[in-house]
Amino acid sequence: MRGALVALLMASTAFATAAETAAAQKFDQLALTPPMGWNSWNKFRCNVNEALIRETADAMVASGMQAAGYQYVNIDDCWHGARDSLGFIHPDPQRFPSGMRALADYVHAKGLKLGIYSDAGSETCGRRPGSRGYEAQDALTYARWGVDYLKYDWCHTDSLKAVGAYLTMRDALYRAGRPIVFSICEWGATKPWTWGAPIGHLWRTTGDIHSCFDCIKNTATGSPRGVMEILDQQVELRAYAGPGHWNDPDMLEVGNGMSVSEDRAHFSMWSVLAAPLIAGNDLSHMSAETARILTNHDVVAVDQDSLGIEGFRYSTADSVEVWFKPLVRGAWAMVILNRDTVARAVAFDWARESVVDSLSGRMAAFGTTTYRLRDLWTGVKVGTTARRLKARVPAHDVLMMQLTPTP
Ligand code: GLA
């Protein structure tokens, strides 16, 4: 037994020495479009186990989500057991009796990928062992298990500096040798959009999302962070995102209790933001309406557009906002968002509007080009920009269209 341990340690030391001769970096060519998948936290909190993860992988395939582009099955906090006498972390033996390697094999056999969660501090937010001081060992362990995605949280970090802490784990992952998407989760505290691009593939921009559309306006307490509040916090950040490095306004709450309109609006806005689409609901027991929202290929395509340009808020008036996102081949996504609690009549007079994106150097030339309009939620062609748009948008809902230039 001892001989085997020594051989194992020597093998890892030899591996580390060889890898250390090359400068570490983040893994390139990962997350060239915003990552798509599922994460256990929003719905299940600490109630995670291997049966849930296997069922979720099954449901991701059966529901059509895999076909729509979702691939990561991510276990959030509370999977952990204890560290052994050598410091290696093990999963909770009651919750994950078959072990993580077997779970990764199960997920991989379906053509999906496995994600896991840790924390830069001494403990995770759920008070499980954190990676502080064990970064290299943990990275090696995740690589051996076949993990494809790491969400790395920021609880119990005391005096740690975020840039250094995330660099340490980035380098540890690189040296472990398995390409792993690195998801920075420090809640926007030190503006990770300003330093995250060479370190991770995505970074949380805010504190935790809650399943309410507009908590500030529409709940008594006003304290949890709802979908609209998070949306407002993204407005200044679009310049920082692009292929391989995304702003992360947090995981989806679609199917977790908001109305169908609100879920549709939430999903539309996350797509216009080129946000990671990480579902946070119970995939094995979701309604047909929830599945229809999550698997809308046209809306997903807006999110996944290969230009990777985050959309922008073009106008705000009386609780109605108009957002645009440049797409490949001169097309645009357009969302009219009604934040009001009553339906609103909206009009858009194309000839009088000038949609210019100075960041990407693109403009929608409504004066000289006619665009065909398609409603991405009904799939219906709704005319062209030759005629003034008039529509009615229900409360907490959107009109989302694709604008395609005619030759
Ligand atoms: C933090 C993160 C959440 C989730 C929990 C788990 O709050 O921001 O997304 O991972 O920790 O404890």
Side-chain angles (χ1 to χ4, degrees):
M1 180 61 190
R2 175 165 297 178
L5 271 180
V6 170
L8 178 70
L9 282 174
M10 283 176 61
S12 16
T13 314
F15 182 72
T17 312
E20 269 160 17
T21 55
Q25 57 174 78
K26 86 175 190 188
F27 285 102
D28 277 337
Q29 305 302 312
L30 290 180
L32 295 180
T33 61
M36 292 177 66
W38 170 89
N39 172 294
S40 51
W41 183 254
N42 284 359
K43 174 73 185 178
F44 296 97
R45 302 296 184 203
C46 268
N47 298 316
V48 289
N49 58 55
E50 62 183 39
L52 170 71
I53 302 306
R54 284 198 301 257
E55 281 162 23
T56 300
D58 295 349
M60 194 176 272
V61 177
S63 63
M65 285 183 67
Q66 181 184 38
Y70 295 83
Q71 59 171 342
Y72 293 100
V73 179
N74 294 350
I75 315 169
D76 206 275
D77 206 348
C78 306
W79 59 265
H80 318 67
R83 294 190 182 280
D84 62 24
S85 61
L86 296 175
F88 287 99
I89 188 75
H90 294 268
D92 181 319
Q94 259 88 51
R95 294 164 184 259
F96 295 89
S98 314
M100 287 298 180
R101 178 75 237 185
L103 195 53
D105 289 346
Y106 185 90
V107 169
H108 291 157
K110 298 191 164 282
L112 299 169
K113 296 185 167 174
L114 184 70
I116 211 164
Y117 162 100
S118 188
D119 188 291
S122 53
E123 289 184 332
T124 70
C125 299
R127 308 221 79 128
R128 302 317 197 260
S131 289
R132 186 170 186 175
Y134 296 91
E135 294 87 351
Q137 250 177 316
D138 285 357
L140 205 55
T141 301
Y142 306 150
R144 286 181 180 149
W145 286 343
V147 165
D148 306 291
Y149 186 114
L150 173 66
K151 173 176 166 183
Y152 203 49
D153 213 341
W154 191 240
C155 278
H156 306 290
T157 43
D158 302 324
S159 57
L160 270 183
K161 297 273 184 294
V163 181
Y166 283 94
L167 260 177
T168 302
M169 189 43 114
R170 177 203 75 170
D171 292 356
L173 290 171
Y174 193 74
R175 294 195 167 113
R178 181 178 174 87
I180 291 180
V181 171
F182 190 31
S183 161
I184 296 171
C185 179
E186 66 74 90
W187 321 310
T190 62
K191 299 189 164 61
W193 46 90
T194 61
W195 52 260
I199 298 179
H201 301 95
L202 60 159
W203 48 81
R204 280 275 297 278
T205 55
T206 70
D208 291 5
I209 193 168
H210 288 82
S211 177
C212 61
F213 193 72
D214 201 341
C215 296
I216 293 182
K217 278 197 182 153
N218 304 123
T219 65
T221 66
S223 55
R225 206 172 283 94
V227 171
M228 289 298 103
E229 185 179 351
I230 291 189
L231 178 66
D232 289 336
Q233 288 181 265
Q234 309 312 307
V235 169
E236 304 295 326
L237 305 183
R238 63 187 294 256
Y240 300 98
H245 52 100
W246 306 102
N247 288 315
D248 174 8
D250 207 356
M251 305 171 295
L252 296 166
E253 292 283 14
V254 174
N256 280 343
M258 288 188 289
S259 72
V260 173
S261 292
E262 291 171 340
D263 277 352
R264 184 166 41 233
H266 171 29
F267 196 71
S268 303
M269 296 321 299
W270 262 228
S271 295
V272 160
L273 292 173
L277 296 180
I278 307 293
N281 60 312
D282 181 352
L283 299 193
S284 308
H285 302 98
M286 63 180 159
S287 69
E289 271 156 340
T290 296
R292 215 172 61 82
I293 291 173
L294 291 172
T295 60
N296 182 315
H297 288 251
D298 290 326
V299 178
V300 167
V302 168
D303 178 81
Q304 295 288 302
D305 183 85
S306 60
L307 293 178
I309 302 172
E310 205 175 306
F312 57 92
R313 184 152 64 191
Y314 171 73
S315 66
T316 311
D318 277 347
S319 302
V320 174
E321 300 181 357
V322 180
W323 289 70
F324 282 94
K325 179 184 198 283
L327 305 175
V328 287
R329 290 181 289 282
W332 293 81
M334 176 183 185
V335 179
I336 303 181
L337 166 68
N338 178 9
R339 297 174 66 147
D340 207 340
T341 49
V342 294
R344 302 294 296 264
V346 296
F348 200 81
D349 193 352
W350 308 98
R352 290 165 178 266
E353 306 286 345
S354 143
V355 176
V356 179
D357 178 14
S358 49
L359 181 71
S360 67
R362 284 157 196 269
M363 66 178 287
F366 297 130
T368 50
T369 306
T370 302
Y371 293 78
R372 283 194 307 269
L373 304 174
R374 197 156 59 86
D375 182 324
L376 298 186
W377 285 110
T378 62
V380 173
K381 293 180 179 147
V382 286
T384 72
T385 53
R387 281 188 52 198
R388 184 165 180 263
L389 175 82
K390 284 171 80 177
R392 190 173 164 280
V393 183
H396 290 184
D397 207 334
V398 289
L399 171 63
M400 181 169 189
M401 297 182 296
Q402 177 152 336
L403 282 53
T404 308
T406 56

